[in-house]
């Protein structure tokens, strides 16, 4: 009877460190099963490509405490709402208002002028949700040939995909058959500062 060795290194088993799907060494960790989907979403997120038009600003910090400020019930026309408590509708936390799905959300800052017609200006902050299915007419973040861009998704036919600017100075980007193209997410909100 032949004995089979147990334990230890087996010739030919495993692969050299750093040659897996991530191209770098990995470390096993224990994750609660309830958080597994969030971690998989985070890992599946592509690395940041060059962004001549957008600046990566990060992701929401889910562990940060919320900040709730008064929300006035009265509509404002040209003045300041009454500070009387009778007009306070409740408290509003902008994190809850702007971020639907924190694990799938990230922020980008705009650097170009191609989307001025959509109310997106240089310096604006975009809230992007990767969990929303991009549809015709949505403002999306896309990677085209390694460059990150924000444009309106235009699906005139199933065979023709265009990314349209909201500025006549910029021509539509028609996605060719052999172009690198990936949709990163849908822009859900634009934060436009009024002070420099």
């Amino acid at each position: 009877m032949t004995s089979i060795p147990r334990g230890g290194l087996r010739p030919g088993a495993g692969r050299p460190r750093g040659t897996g799907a991530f191209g770098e060494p990995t470390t096993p960790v224990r994750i609660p099963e309830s958080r597994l989907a969030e971690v998989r979403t985070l890992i599946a997120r592509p690395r940041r490509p060059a962004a001549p038009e957008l600046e990566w600003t990060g992701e929401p910090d889910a562990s940060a405490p919320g900040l709730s400020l008064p929300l006035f019930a009265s509509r404002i026309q040209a003045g300041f709402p009454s500070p009387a408590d009778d007009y306070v509708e409740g408290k509003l936390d902008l994190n809850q208002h702007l971020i639907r799905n924190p694990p799938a959300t990230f922020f980008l800052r705009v650097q170009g002028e191609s989307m001025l017609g959509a109310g997106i200006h240089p310096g604006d902050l975009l809230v992007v949700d990767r969990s929303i299915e991009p549809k015709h007419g949505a403002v999306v973040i896309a990677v085209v040939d390694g460059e990150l861009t924000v444009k309106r998704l235009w699906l005139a036919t199933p065979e023709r995909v265009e990314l349209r600017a909201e500025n006549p100075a910029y021509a539509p980007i028609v996605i060719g058959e052999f172009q690198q193209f990936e949709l990163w997410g849908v822009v859900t909100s634009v934060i436009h500062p009024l002070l420099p």
Side-chain angles (χ1 to χ4, degrees), residues 101-136:
N101 186 358
T105 300
F106 60 95
F107 306 119
L108 290 169
R109 191 174 303 282
V110 179
Q111 293 181 340
E113 297 183 340
S114 67
M115 294 298 285
L116 290 177
I120 299 175
H121 298 80
D124 284 358
L125 195 63
L126 304 179
V127 181
V128 184
D129 191 331
R130 288 181 53 85
S131 68
I132 298 176
E133 181 184 354
K135 294 182 178 176
H136 173 79

Side-chain angles (χ1 to χ4, degrees), residues 133-140 152-157 162 164:
E133 181 184 354
K135 294 182 178 176
H136 173 79
V139 176
V140 298
R152 192 171 296 282
L153 180 64
W154 206 260
L155 303 171
T157 66
E162 289 183 23
R164 293 190 173 184

